[in-house]
Amino acid sequence: MTSFEFEGRQIPIELGDSIATALYRSGVRTFSRSFKYHRPRGLYCGTGDCPNCSMTVEGEPAVRTCVTPATPGLEVHRSTGWPSADIDVFSALWWLRPFMPVGFYYKSMHKPAAVWPIAERFIRQLAGLGDVPLNQAPDDRERRYHHADVCVIGAGIAGLTAALVAADRDETVVVCDEGRVGSKIPPGALDSRITASLAQVRRDRRITLIEHGTAFGIYEGPLVPIVAADGLHLVLPKRVVVTTGAAERHGVFAGNDLPGVWLARGAAVAVGRHGLGLGNHAVVVMETEYALDNLASIQAAVRIDAVLAPSALAARIPTGLRVIVDGKVERALGRARLRAVEIRSPQGVERIGCDTLILAFGLVPRDNLVRQATAASVTVAVGGDVATPGLGLEAAIASGRAAGRGEPTPLEEPTLPAAPCAGFVCLCEDVSAADLDLAWAEGYQGTELLKRYSTATMGPCQGAMCHGHLRSFVAARSPVPILSVATTARPPARPVRLQDVAAGARYPLEWHTGLHERHLEMGGIMEWAGVWKRVERYGDVMEEYRAVRERVSIMDVSTLGKYHLAGRDATAFLERLYPCHVANLKPGRSRYALLLNEAGYVFDDGLVGRFGAEEYYLTFTSSGADAMESWLRDWAESWGHTVRLANQTGTLGAINVAGPRARDLLVKLSDDPVDSKTIPYGGLARITIAGVSCLLLRVGFVGELSFELHHPRLETVKLWDALLEAGRELGVRPHGLEALRLLRLEKGHLIVGQDTDFDSTPAKLGLEWAVKMEKSEFVGRTALLRLKDIEPNRILRAFTFPGNDVPLEGAQLLEGTDRVGYLTSSRYSPVLGYGVALAWVYRHRGTFPTTVEAIDGSGRTMVGTVAEAPFYDREGGRLRA
Amino acid sequence: MALMFPCPQCGSRPFTEFWCGGELPDGGHGAAGDIEADYARVWLKRNVCGDQPERWFHHAGCRRWISLTRHTVTNLIHDVV
Ligand code: FES
Ligand SMILES: [Zn+2]
């Protein structure tokens, strides 16, 4: 015999068992402890609609065990109660309830303020639905799309019929059910019809059946997300059919949550399908006709001492049973278990000893998804019990047919139960009628207010049990219809794990340059740069830095945005796009260019290089590389220019060779001339280096003689190795991002995104030289014209800090006690012997501060003075060497 | 979240493959104008409740821009070019 583990003992499994039925058979009666008062809760609905059977299964809390199949080897325990759910010392909380009225923690634990953190910790441990596992390994789940014609939610008789009808019309169908089809139905006529239809559905190749698949929402589109064991199914149907059926109505009276109190269908399934016993003596409330069928099977399992029925139904109760006409349950008595019920009838009040109380108050539609759909403006067809609760087998089939054809079914306004006077209205959140009374007295009058204040209807069942009672509670107190409206239904209709929603989205995009393996071999420490992994350093940053300043160094800059642009209108297009001149650029030259958006703000920078009359090479920052394609295409299309654009960011590698000996290194590997005459600063040429054909750009980000070599990605390792090999006697070593950040800061170069932000105009950045306002048109020009006469309220400035220490990036700048700015970049400069920085400063008392006090995250204070950038090699002689 | 865009190049694709380029201003995107018209185009969004012309970029597909009309309440899409 197979079994699973429950709190240290083995529980045998019988065919068709859910976890809950197997546990019940083995004698478990307390299935959970309630959310707030730690009251014992037993099996109640048996259909996955209430919270009572929630347990921790395989480390996952809040699993509804009555709809979770028992499989061998599971580890199951109750999530709440200490030392155990059976003997929970905190059940004493029930006797303390006068001190914990609804919302008590807002009212009582805020003074003195120091109390709250302690109280909060304690409350959090006491309340809740179990512990979220924090060290669980992420699960590989798939996300898959179904482009079906119809999605049917709920595979009861109406849903199966609808699916078959749609398939007969040659539509493709996805039909899902949150459990095994038919498992919530007691044996009988309905059960056999379902079995027959199910067999037909399984044979039909146009129908995809997803069992144990929970549709937790209906979104616009429409989209129906279904969580199943094998991952997340996203169904994108042309139309949706909702046949989620109805739940049994929750009964509200004092003691209504005691173990031993059952909803009728759950009890009938337990005895009829799983052969469970219900106890020795039962009282049955039979207020609705449809449940009469279940009476026989219940009678076979337990002795029925009394049936409470309205006079209209009394005659239909089987003879031999004692009927109390018009009897109402006044309260249920008992502590850990039901012991007796008190019944009020026209004959008076009577107490009957019993251990089982079975409630058939009627059905409430499981209409959460329908109401969600309405909110998302999605039209759905409804069929079966969800449309008309308790409509009976033949009518359910007929309405399933109509729904399958897509005929709209009017949704009946559900009848409300009697207003609750005592007992638990909301089982999930432990909200009693007395709590609602108090909330009402405090002024929370109306369903939406009561919901938010008491959290009734906000539990795992999303109000399936308590929503109608909340409405009738309000309706009994106020004639104003709007106060007792149905509250808004929102996804998820059923509890879902974030992991399920994130199925298929777990893998972060990680791009590697062609040199990634080389970097790792050389001990490179990698860091994220957008979607890329780049080298932060290989070893000693100062050594890398000195190689650039004193000898020669190479860096992998393959992540730069690299575009080839050509076509009839290429020059006209770029002239109109960039704020700098493009038309007067000579072939074989390149130029630094800012990118402005229409609001006149700098959002990227790079180079424009010209090959020929209408042929260009454009580079952008690594972080802007991807988005620039959409930007370029957008303008080209909008203006109707004829240009062709190739995004070569991924196909080209790029290596920067920098340092006073950079040319010496290239000469060793190339027969092409690389002298300053042939390739001056800003030059652009095609040359062959170490047998690799390269596009060479003479650039100057680090402030030394430097050459960027752009080349086919497949040859990048060959080029890299050749440069290192040939450069050995020159003392070459590669440098990473950290060295680069210092090198560029000494030159006062800003990094877009680090030193700029969302409203950085060229004027604020001190980059007006890169903007040619005399041009008649470029993107952002009108915005700059408009801003021309407005004095900037803040500007980016260079600062120096004496000594060998600098404040950390992000440090606040003060003048006296006034905050006047913050640092965006700062490093100690070894060649200069003092700290260099870029900072935003605000206009303060009419001017921009020139001497500031910087306070950084470590609490240090340092005085900085405004300076003129670049700090290093101001004349640029080294750059142009 | 279920938006499917009928991309003229790629067919019906989930909207997560697209970047939103915002609403299409009167007179179309990129229209040159005087300072005031330009200001209105860049800053004064209509943000309609109803049908709104928009631009979307199919970054995870054909990498082309498409223009379409989206109903901002129902997310129904038509007039794709
Ligand atoms: S009973 Fe579940 S939310 Fe109220
Ligand atoms: Zn496309």
Side-chain angles (χ1 to χ4, degrees):
Chain A
M1 183 182 289
T2 57
S3 64
F4 64 88
E5 191 194 319
F6 173 71
E7 297 178 357
R9 61 185 169 121
Q10 290 298 317
I11 305 290
I13 303 173
E14 287 189 11
L15 194 67
D17 260 344
S18 66
I19 293 175
T21 55
L23 288 173
Y24 190 92
R25 188 179 297 106
S26 294
V28 175
R29 292 295 177 269
T30 301
F31 275 69
S32 62
R33 286 281 171 169
S34 69
F35 185 73
K36 181 175 171 188
Y37 299 116
H38 288 243
R39 292 186 43 99
R41 297 273 163 86
L43 275 192
Y44 184 51
C45 77
T47 51
D49 290 300
C50 83
N52 284 10
C53 65
S54 287
M55 291 189 187
T56 300
V57 178
E58 293 288 284
E60 180 185 336
V63 174
R64 290 167 298 150
T65 55
C66 77
V67 287
T68 308
T71 49
L74 287 179
E75 192 279 314
V76 179
H77 62 265
R78 289 170 287 199
S79 315
T80 41
W82 188 86
S84 80
D86 287 319
I87 351 163
D88 181 355
V89 297
F90 294 113
S91 54
L93 285 169
W94 175 243
W95 308 107
L96 295 176
R97 66 190 182 279
F99 306 106
M100 324 189 280
V102 59
F104 72 96
Y105 36 87
Y106 304 130
K107 296 169 185 162
S108 51
M109 304 219 179
H110 60 105
K111 266 188 211 163
V115 171
W116 175 244
I118 302 165
E120 186 195 24
R121 241 195 25 233
F122 186 66
I123 294 170
R124 273 176 193 253
Q125 258 167 30
L126 276 185
L129 305 165
D131 297 319
V132 176
L134 295 178
N135 51 4
Q136 191 127 320
D139 196 355
D140 281 335
R141 276 166 185 269
E142 279 189 20
R143 160 191 302 235
R144 62 180 78 167
Y145 289 87
H146 298 262
H147 297 269
D149 293 314
V150 188
C151 180
V152 180
I153 306 171
I157 192 60
L160 294 172
T161 309
L164 289 169
V165 167
D168 272 345
R169 294 152 44 105
D170 237 1
E171 293 179 292
T172 53
V173 184
V174 173
V175 52
C176 69
D177 196 279
E178 69 169 334
R180 198 156 32 86
V181 173
S183 62
K184 294 177 189 173
I185 309 293
L190 171 59
D191 183 38
S192 6
R193 285 298 282 270
I194 286 183
T195 312
S197 299
L198 179 62
Q200 238 180 307
V201 161
R202 285 195 201 282
R203 278 197 302 273
D204 200 316
R205 309 218 1 228
R206 292 161 299 194
I207 305 178
T208 308
L209 172 68
I210 304 175
E211 286 187 281
H212 301 294
T214 308
F216 62 83
I218 296 177
Y219 295 83
E220 69 234 29
L223 163 79
V224 181
I226 298 171
V227 170
D230 60 349
L232 179 66
H233 298 253
L234 295 175
V235 188
L236 298 150
K238 299 208 175 79
R239 57 195 182 87
V240 181
V241 174
V242 181
T243 45
T244 39
E248 192 101 33
R249 172 155 282 155
H250 171 47
V252 183
F253 44 83
N256 62 338
D257 64 333
L258 284 169
V261 180
W262 287 81
L263 291 179
R265 188 159 35 166
V269 170
V271 298
R273 207 167 253 288
H274 303 287
L276 304 181
L278 286 180
N280 299 318
H281 293 270
V283 170
V284 178
V285 176
M286 186 58 63
E287 294 206 355
T288 176
E289 188 179 344
Y290 90 94
L292 283 170
D293 297 346
N294 298 331
L295 213 49
S297 57
I298 291 170
Q299 211 176 348
V302 61
R303 202 190 120 119
I304 299 179
D305 287 344
V307 178
L308 279 50
S311 42
L313 278 184
R316 297 179 55 190
I317 307 294
T319 46
L321 289 181
R322 180 183 168 213
V323 180
I324 304 178
V325 178
D326 290 336
K328 297 268 181 257
V329 178
E330 185 91 342
R331 57 193 180 123
L333 302 149
R335 282 182 72 170
R337 302 259 192 289
L338 180 69
R339 294 276 170 256
V341 288
E342 242 171 53
I343 292 157
R344 180 182 292 278
S345 69
Q347 283 77 47
V349 177
E350 175 181 1
R351 177 179 290 204
I352 301 179
C354 64
D355 53 11
T356 306
L357 172 62
I358 294 170
L359 308 173
F361 283 112
L363 293 175
V364 281
R366 292 195 193 100
D367 60 358
N368 193 309
L369 289 173
V370 186
R371 290 191 285 131
Q372 275 181 35
T374 313
S377 311
V378 175
T379 317
V380 298
V382 288
D385 275 337
V386 69
T388 317
L391 76 177
L393 179 54
E394 293 311 321
I397 292 173
S399 90
R401 281 211 185 94
R405 288 191 296 265
E407 290 164 23
T409 323
L411 203 57
E412 279 179 23
E413 172 67 8
T415 51
L416 295 184
C421 308
F424 282 91
V425 173
C426 180
L427 291 172
C428 295
E429 301 285 290
D430 251 8
V431 180
S432 66
D435 291 328
L436 291 182
D437 273 327
L438 178 63
W440 184 272
E442 290 179 24
Y444 297 91
Q445 303 186 346
T447 46
E448 296 282 10
L449 287 175
L450 282 173
K451 167 186 171 177
R452 280 157 184 79
Y453 186 53
S454 71
T455 70
T457 74
M458 287 164 76
C461 88
Q462 288 290 288
M465 291 282 108
C466 58
H467 184 241
H469 296 279
L470 184 72
R471 292 182 66 189
S472 62
F473 175 89
V474 175
R477 281 162 183 76
S478 166
V480 183
I482 189 111
L483 292 184
S484 54
V485 286
T487 57
T488 316
R490 293 187 182 85
R494 293 292 202 205
V496 282
R497 300 181 293 186
L498 292 178
Q499 167 178 296
D500 288 324
V501 183
R506 197 170 69 77
Y507 303 98
L509 195 57
E510 180 177 323
W511 289 3
H512 291 173
T513 72
L515 289 166
H516 191 78
E517 297 303 320
R518 268 290 179 279
H519 296 323
L520 296 181
E521 282 162 27
M522 298 178 72
I525 296 166
M526 310 304 282
E527 68 173 43
W528 282 106
V531 289
W532 294 95
K533 279 288 178 118
R534 300 191 67 185
V535 179
E536 194 244 333
R537 67 179 75 192
Y538 297 90
D540 183 357
V541 174
M542 267 356 314
E543 277 304 312
E544 296 173 18
Y545 164 83
R546 267 198 289 277
V548 180
R549 287 276 179 258
E550 294 163 11
R551 305 188 303 275
V552 59
S553 176
I554 58 176
M555 182 183 189
D556 179 8
V557 293
S558 304
T559 55
L560 288 172
K562 301 181 282 296
Y563 288 81
H564 187 266
L565 182 110
R568 198 178 67 210
D569 302 328
T571 306
F573 170 60
L574 293 178
E575 189 67 46
R576 207 170 163 186
L577 189 75
Y578 281 107
C580 63
H581 290 299
V582 176
N584 66 4
L585 192 63
K586 290 193 193 65
R589 299 304 296 268
S590 69
R591 174 171 289 164
Y592 175 77
L594 287 178
L595 273 299
L596 302 183
N597 65 15
E598 285 185 276
Y601 302 143
V602 175
F603 75 100
D604 207 5
D605 63 356
L607 297 177
V608 199
R610 190 169 193 174
F611 290 128
E614 300 292 356
E615 191 188 358
Y616 292 87
Y617 189 69
L618 314 175
T619 69
F620 303 104
T621 63
S622 300
S623 49
D626 202 26
M628 285 318 295
E629 184 173 354
S630 72
W631 174 253
L632 293 166
R633 288 195 190 282
D634 194 9
W635 289 109
E637 280 182 30
S638 301
W639 290 330
H641 284 309
T642 303
V643 289
R644 280 171 287 121
L645 180 71
N647 180 353
Q648 298 184 299
T649 303
T651 53
L652 294 185
I655 296 172
N656 191 28
V657 184
R661 311 290 306 270
R663 186 175 287 117
D664 301 340
L665 177 52
L666 295 194
V667 165
K668 294 178 77 168
L669 291 169
S670 180
D671 298 333
D672 297 321
V674 288
D675 59 281
S676 210
K677 267 255 178 45
T678 323
I679 307 176
Y681 179 68
L684 168 82
R686 295 192 210 263
I687 70 167
T688 304
I689 297 173
V692 178
S693 55
C694 297
L695 176 62
L696 181 151
L697 288 148
R698 239 193 100 177
V699 291
F701 196 49
V702 297
E704 302 290 344
L705 171 66
S706 55
F707 303 91
E708 259 178 33
L709 307 175
H710 295 215
H711 54 276
R713 180 186 161 117
L714 287 178
E715 303 208 82
T716 188
V717 173
K718 179 177 163 192
L719 181 60
W720 178 265
D721 288 350
L723 287 165
L724 283 180
E725 179 60 36
R728 192 174 305 163
E729 58 197 42
L730 300 173
V732 72
R733 65 187 301 152
H735 66 282
L737 282 169
E738 182 50 31
L740 179 74
R741 286 190 274 252
L742 168 57
L743 290 159
R744 65 90 197 181
L745 188 56
E746 288 176 342
K747 289 298 289 180
H749 291 313
L750 57 85
I751 294 180
V752 173
Q754 174 170 339
D755 302 301
T756 67
D757 54 28
F758 54 90
D759 68 346
S760 305
T761 55
K764 290 182 185 173
L765 297 173
L767 290 175
E768 276 169 307
W769 60 268
V771 178
K772 306 301 173 198
M773 288 305 284
E774 66 271 20
K775 285 174 59 170
S776 63
E777 189 186 352
F778 59 83
V779 176
R781 183 172 182 273
T782 39
L784 294 183
L785 279 178
R786 190 164 40 77
L787 292 169
K788 190 169 52 100
D789 300 327
I790 305 172
E791 294 274 2
N793 56 343
R794 54 184 203 131
I795 55 172
L796 189 71
R797 280 226 158 152
F799 281 83
T800 56
F801 289 87
N804 54 9
D805 208 357
V806 276
L808 301 175
E809 288 171 358
Q812 300 300 310
L813 303 183
L814 303 180
E815 194 177 83
T817 53
D818 297 335
R819 181 174 174 272
V820 293
Y822 59 95
L823 285 188
T824 55
S825 294
S826 66
R827 287 290 184 282
Y828 170 71
S829 163
V831 285
L832 300 171
Y834 51 80
V836 292
L838 291 175
W840 281 101
V841 282
Y842 310 135
R843 186 179 293 281
H844 184 58
R845 305 210 173 98
T847 80
F848 292 106
T850 52
T851 303
V852 292
E853 215 178 10
I855 300 183
D856 69 15
S858 65
R860 297 172 304 175
T861 312
M862 275 168 256
V863 175
T865 329
V866 89
E868 216 47 63
F871 306 100
Y872 173 76
D873 185 28
R874 178 150 310 153
E875 295 71 35
R878 303 182 67 88
L879 198 65
R880 292 166 203 281
Chain B
M1 75 177 270
L3 292 183
M4 295 297 286
F5 285 176
C7 174
Q9 278 76 239
C10 314
S12 177
R13 309 295 308 165
F15 88 101
T16 48
E17 293 186 356
F18 295 78
W19 288 332
C20 182
E23 69 177 57
L24 204 54
D26 276 334
H29 179 59
D34 60 19
I35 293 183
E36 288 313 312
D38 207 60
Y39 175 80
R41 195 165 54 87
V42 175
W43 293 105
L44 305 180
K45 303 293 179 192
R46 282 163 299 170
N47 196 20
V48 297
C49 176
D51 279 330
Q52 167 165 290
E54 293 175 346
R55 300 262 290 162
W56 290 76
F57 182 70
H58 196 185
H59 76 88
C62 57
R63 297 188 77 90
R64 289 300 162 103
W65 283 93
I66 59 178
S67 297
L68 47 79
T69 303
R70 180 179 66 97
H71 194 282
T72 56
V73 177
T74 62
N75 278 327
L76 292 179
I77 287 163
H78 48 92
D79 297 345
V80 179
V81 273

